[in-house]
Amino acid sequence: MGRTVICPGSFDPVTRGHLDIIDRATKMFDHVIVAVLCNLSKKPTFTIEERIDFITRAVQSAEIKNVEVVGFEGLLADYARERNATALVKGLRAVSDFEYEFQMALTNKKLNPELETVFLTTNQQYMFLSSSIVKQIASLGGDISGFVPECIHDDICKRLTNK
Ligand code: ADP
């Protein structure tokens, strides 16, 4: 059977930083579910279908194995129980991520005491990288090729600059 973990996020769109965390999670656990959040309070730029498609292509292109990409609505603590997941795996960038992630981890522990939250330290190279930075740069015509997986780069640029 092996151990299943969940990497949750908005992935709006997926970046090289996200992909690095997903890749590293597959090396530590047997099955990684990337849960793409549908119920975002802020309106996402990319649709749930686009976000799932980008991650699926990026994972395939990087030949990362044992990953399942799903759209997700509801409580992660319940979903983790349903899928028999051992832990949530999250990337931790700078101090700014810490307070929110700490609060979420404690809340999820309260809702599902069997569920752990595992934090992987960001790859130094991607420490400054976020989906919103990518969107800002691309919409101003800047070069985002170092920030997003190559196979989805053109699609992201097209969507962000054509309108
Ligand atoms: P963002 O903050 O870019 O909108 P998400 O909400 O999609 O990201 O985040 C999903 C997960 O990925 C979170 O655990 C977040 O900390 C992590 N993450 C996002 N960007 C990076 C990065 N550059 N390096 C490491 N982890 C990251």
Side-chain angles (χ1 to χ4, degrees):
M1 254 307 281
R3 283 183 194 274
T4 295
V5 292
I6 301 176
C7 285
S10 40
F11 307 103
D12 188 36
V14 67
T15 67
R16 289 188 184 224
H18 292 131
L19 202 62
D20 178 62
I21 297 293
I22 294 167
D23 182 35
R24 287 159 62 198
T26 65
K27 291 179 177 140
M28 301 170 68
F29 301 99
D30 303 297
H31 184 64
V32 174
I33 301 170
V34 178
V36 186
L37 306 182
C38 306
N39 50 343
L40 296 177
S41 45
K42 51 179 184 189
K43 205 177 168 326
T45 305
F46 295 92
T47 65
I48 183 73
E49 291 80 15
E50 285 174 310
R51 287 180 280 140
I52 290 176
D53 174 60
F54 287 158
I55 303 170
T56 306
R57 282 159 58 195
V59 162
Q60 271 168 8
S61 166
E63 295 184 20
I64 303 171
K65 303 275 184 264
N66 304 319
V67 176
E68 174 187 346
V69 186
V70 300
F72 168 78
E73 218 165 351
L75 267 185
L76 264 177
D78 291 340
Y79 185 63
R81 203 178 277 123
E82 213 177 282
R83 296 298 310 265
N84 251 323
T86 311
L88 303 175
V89 174
K90 309 221 67 187
L92 205 54
R93 278 164 297 192
V95 187
S96 52
D97 274 345
F98 182 78
E99 208 171 327
Y100 176 73
E101 295 295 352
F102 194 70
Q103 184 185 19
M104 284 308 299
L106 290 178
T107 306
N108 281 321
K109 190 83 189 160
K110 196 94 187 156
L111 295 173
N112 179 351
E114 281 143 47
L115 183 65
E116 296 295 340
T117 301
V118 174
F119 291 107
L120 298 184
T121 313
T122 181
N123 188 320
Q124 222 179 33
Q125 212 182 335
Y126 304 131
M127 151 158 210
F128 60 90
L129 193 51
S130 69
S131 297
S132 47
I133 285 278
V134 164
K135 286 186 277 191
Q136 262 181 45
I137 298 174
S139 61
L140 295 170
D143 179 8
I144 57 161
S145 55
F147 304 153
V148 297
E150 199 182 333
C151 62
I152 56 172
H153 171 269
D154 292 356
D155 285 342
I156 292 176
C157 288
K158 248 182 252 158
R159 269 283 265 110
L160 292 173
T161 52
N162 273 1
K163 309 190 172 154

